[in-house]
Amino acid sequence: MANAFSAPRTCIHPSGRFIYGIHRPSYRVKNLRENRTDLVLGHDPGGDPMDNSLNFPDGDIIIKNAGQVYEVPNPFPFWGATYILKDAADLMAEDPLKYRVKPHEPGPEEETGNPATDSLPHLPRPIRLAFAQTSRDPEILKALARLACRLEYDQGGRAIGIRFEKGLDGQMRPAILDHDLFEVLGNNPALPYDHKLAMVLNPGAQGTSPVVGEFLSGSRTHVWEYLRANSYVPWGHYASNMAQDSERYSAS
């Protein structure tokens, strides 16, 4: 591709050809984390525990042959470039319908004997999503969580983990029944904290991305820095998330 100072950077070649770049990233990431929180996140179908040891590796992280990334300069140079994961682009090119999000419609779960919540599985899905976003009733939110994923409970009914199942790629992953409902509930501050821990806050609940950095300040602020290794950014990118033991939703 021509130098940016001598010619506009665009994916359109004067001959009509389409220009793009492809990254085949391998790189090393310095691990600056000093602590770890080892947890059992849940259990697989055979009853074996699923822990979060992959989220807390020892030493620096060496990424070999991460997912390939297309770099496509936009037709108009002032729009910059677009980065797309090659696997996702190839899947879309093969069959666009495969890449379309298809929400799973869960069937009715076991009734609890509570008229206020037993009707939730039978409501239209948009209404369930609206309840998940706007409700502040903990019983309604806990009932919706049973429709969003398969949680594990202790004898007192407290959520203590999430069940795992084998995904289409053969890897074990949380058993999520309705991804949209799961995401909306996870962002509702009124979701009971034990459910929030099991569903989204515990390190490892949302995947095996390694924690390579950490920030601690007193007893109220704790941040994990996750490495998203197979990213649309060819050399990976980072996501800072409040840790599971941090105080949330506090103006102070």
Side-chain angles (χ1 to χ4, degrees), residues 7 59-60 67 79 88 168 190:
D60 294 344
W79 279 357
L168 295 176

Side-chain angles (χ1 to χ4, degrees), residues 9 19 31 33 44 124 188 218:
R9 190 171 185 268
I19 299 175
N31 189 350
R33 171 185 46 78
D44 65 15
N188 187 328

